[in-house]
Amino acid sequence: MTTHSEETRRETWSSRVAFVLAAAGSAIGLGNVWRFPYLAGQNGGAAFVFIYLAIVLLIGLPVMIAEVGLGRFTRRNPVGAFARAAPASGWRTVGLLGVITGFGILSYYSVVAGWTLIYTVQAASGTFATLTDPGQTGRLFEHLVGDARTVLTFHALFLTLTVAVVIGGVRRGIERWTFILMPVLLLMLLLLVLRSLTLEGAAKGIAFYLNPDFSKVTPVTFLVALGQAFFSLSLGMGVMITYGSYLSEREDVVVAAVSVTLFDTLAAFLAGLVIFPALFTVEGVEPTQGAGLAFVVLPAIFHRIPLGNLFGTLFFALLTVAALTSAISLLEVCVAYLTDEKGWTRKRACYLVGLVSFTLGIPAALSTGASTFLSRLPLVHIGFLDLMDTIFGNLALTLGALLLCLFVGWRWAPEDALTGAMEGSAYPGLRRPWLLLIRYLCPLAIGTILLQLLMKLFVQG
Ligand code: TRP
């Protein structure tokens, strides 16, 4: 067992606001600004947006409360949290799955974040002013992400930034930087929304984004929306357990989780308001573009927008900042595990995780053109980066969230689960509804969708 002195040495957030900012920083990332708009574009626009909102409210929010509660109650990293809540059981493996998922996601997340850095530099140096159609920007994209030296350099650069923040610890590193970066992020986002909404022809984009056509909804829509909800809210691998473990007993977990969810959803919604109006002002560009939406389609419209270079630079800087506060949380989970469970110093853990993630990210970085083999793997017929995203960014998170619901709802003592999640809450009336959601609706819905996901993989496989 741990001694009391060890307990008091553990850092905490200086306030609930600090927790909310850091957790919102984790949640708001490439998932909101890059992934959400393109998924919405591919899956019917407004209809997807509505289904996504329902899933966030009914599944995302209760799962977030459960994760934060488990962390706050046990004051441990994911592995330690399960081990404390259910000693001498196999449940700590679920925490370990989370830590491994953290390594996995960080390694390829930082590759894509490296692209956003490259694009910030490109936009600032005026490259996009000379490109006028998606054909040209598409070739530029292929050229940039297909160049081994460029992608590896920026992948390393981005990870170095992440390590530099996390090495400072909870208060002097994560908290300090999110206090600076989050307001910057919000300001940039609002500026871009204003710019986009005042473009001539913006109305068509708004209609696509906000007038639902539910005839386009298929079972796949739910699957994609759920996966996106977990990814966007940083659920299913223990970020919220870890961040919750630095939260004081006096704080209200429900209010904190609602705030984080609200901020994250707002950021995704606003990102859509930036992208779709801009998109529909240009002929021949489709919202169903897919993953290239932010990197191929947007650069092709900057030259038509007054001060396009400035707003282009702003957009990619925004993506980079958002990605940084998310990568910080991924790194922190692995670091908390190594310092709590293995007794490592924070510094040593940061360097090691950074190095391993860099190495693990190399094949992902080379899979977007530099290596033909990695760009289209045998059997699965997708690139290494996409494979990592499917395994870690989707499957592992969904499985992790399912196991977490089963644990908190059924295995853990209900009094402890309620203490962790609800003690100090100003809304005691939410205890029962929350427990019901965590016990029944969440595991059933997640389980069903996980089955579909596996079937889809094997049928296509
Ligand atoms: N939520 C972040 C995004 O939207 C990514 C992220 C950070 C994440 N930490 C996570 C995703 C933990 C899943 C689990 O970009």
Side-chain angles (χ1 to χ4, degrees):
M1 257 347 263
T2 37
T3 62
H4 191 69
S5 69
E6 242 179 275
E7 206 66 33
T8 43
R9 248 189 288 125
R10 192 178 178 79
E11 275 195 277
T12 54
W13 306 111
S14 61
S15 64
R16 186 172 76 211
V17 175
F19 166 82
V20 170
L21 275 185
S26 165
I28 301 172
L30 297 173
N32 304 62
V33 190
W34 163 66
R35 211 167 180 245
F36 178 79
Y38 93 67
L39 290 180
Q42 276 184 328
N43 290 283
F48 178 83
V49 177
F50 279 90
I51 290 173
Y52 177 78
L53 288 180
I55 288 184
V56 163
L57 198 69
L58 286 174
I59 299 176
L61 183 59
V63 172
M64 181 172 308
I65 294 175
E67 271 202 32
V68 178
L70 179 61
R72 185 175 72 156
F73 188 88
T74 56
R75 310 228 142 269
R76 277 291 174 277
N77 68 91
V79 176
F82 280 101
R84 270 201 170 181
S89 72
W91 283 96
R92 71 195 304 278
T93 319
V94 180
L96 202 60
L97 173 78
V99 175
I100 295 170
T101 308
F103 268 103
I105 298 182
L106 182 60
S107 71
Y108 75 87
Y109 197 81
S110 135
V111 171
V112 180
W115 302 350
T116 68
L117 262 179
I118 302 176
Y119 266 65
T120 312
V121 176
Q122 292 281 335
S125 62
T127 309
F128 300 130
T130 55
L131 306 175
T132 50
D133 70 85
Q136 290 172 318
T137 54
R139 279 191 294 280
L140 177 72
F141 179 69
E142 273 171 30
H143 172 74
L144 290 174
V145 303
D147 182 58
R149 198 190 295 166
T150 314
V151 272
L152 287 177
T153 307
F154 283 88
H155 167 48
L157 198 65
F158 181 82
L159 265 178
T160 309
L161 283 178
T162 312
V163 167
V165 172
V166 175
I167 247 178
V170 174
R171 283 202 189 179
R172 291 201 359 242
I174 303 178
E175 197 177 308
R176 186 173 65 171
W177 281 99
T178 39
F179 261 103
I180 301 171
L181 295 174
M182 292 309 283
V184 174
L185 188 83
L186 191 68
L187 199 73
M188 287 196 282
L189 198 54
L190 287 177
L191 264 175
L192 288 163
V193 170
L194 273 181
R195 169 67 280 187
S196 205
L197 286 182
T198 48
L199 288 172
E200 219 173 301
K204 257 198 287 176
I206 299 173
F208 172 79
Y209 188 42
L210 298 178
N211 282 346
D213 173 3
F214 284 104
S215 67
K216 293 207 190 102
V217 173
T218 63
V220 177
T221 318
F222 287 88
L223 205 129
V224 175
L226 186 83
Q228 172 62 13
F230 288 143
F231 188 87
S232 185
L233 293 168
S234 298
L235 296 175
M237 60 142 292
V239 165
M240 295 300 161
I241 297 178
T242 309
Y243 276 18
S245 77
Y246 307 129
L247 187 68
S248 137
E249 284 91 14
R250 293 187 306 275
E251 304 293 358
D252 191 329
V253 170
V254 176
V255 172
V258 169
S259 318
V260 175
T261 306
L262 219 63
F263 278 131
D264 184 67
T265 309
L266 190 70
F269 181 74
L270 291 179
L273 275 189
V274 174
I275 295 198
F276 291 114
L279 202 70
F280 275 83
T281 58
V282 182
E283 297 280 322
V285 179
E286 292 301 322
T288 48
Q289 262 284 327
L293 200 58
F295 291 103
V296 174
V297 177
L298 277 189
I301 49 193
F302 291 142
H303 76 281
R304 304 208 184 176
I305 301 177
L307 295 181
N309 269 340
L310 176 70
F311 285 103
T313 312
L314 213 57
F315 178 80
F316 288 108
L318 168 96
L319 264 180
T320 309
V321 171
L324 182 61
T325 51
S326 299
I328 289 170
S329 71
L330 291 163
L331 178 57
E332 178 63 22
V333 172
C334 305
V335 168
Y337 165 69
L338 290 169
T339 53
D340 280 357
E341 305 297 311
K342 307 281 171 200
W344 287 28
T345 62
R346 174 168 280 270
K347 206 167 172 178
R348 182 169 170 215
C350 281
Y351 288 138
L352 178 102
V353 181
L355 213 66
V356 172
S357 306
F358 175 74
T359 315
L360 213 61
I362 294 177
L366 300 181
S367 74
T368 47
S371 149
T372 330
F373 175 74
L374 289 170
S375 305
R376 197 177 151 81
L377 294 168
L379 289 177
V380 284
H381 305 301
I382 52 174
F384 193 83
L385 197 155
D386 292 332
L387 184 67
M388 295 286 278
D389 187 40
T390 307
I391 294 177
F392 293 111
N394 199 342
L395 264 179
L397 292 182
T398 314
L399 183 65
L402 175 64
L403 291 169
L404 180 98
C405 290
L406 293 176
F407 180 77
V408 172
W410 297 98
R411 170 62 172 76
W412 205 13
E415 315 85 68
D416 288 353
L418 282 167
T419 304
M422 297 282 167
E423 179 141 291
S425 170
Y427 306 97
L430 292 175
R431 296 164 74 98
R432 269 197 74 76
W434 171 72
L435 207 55
L436 286 178
L437 286 174
I438 278 295
R439 286 194 150 175
Y440 300 101
L441 183 76
C442 295
L444 273 177
I446 302 170
T448 313
I449 291 178
L450 189 65
L451 272 181
Q452 278 192 16
L453 199 67
L454 289 174
M455 265 160 45
K456 194 173 136 225
L457 279 183
F458 283 114
V459 172
Q460 279 184 353

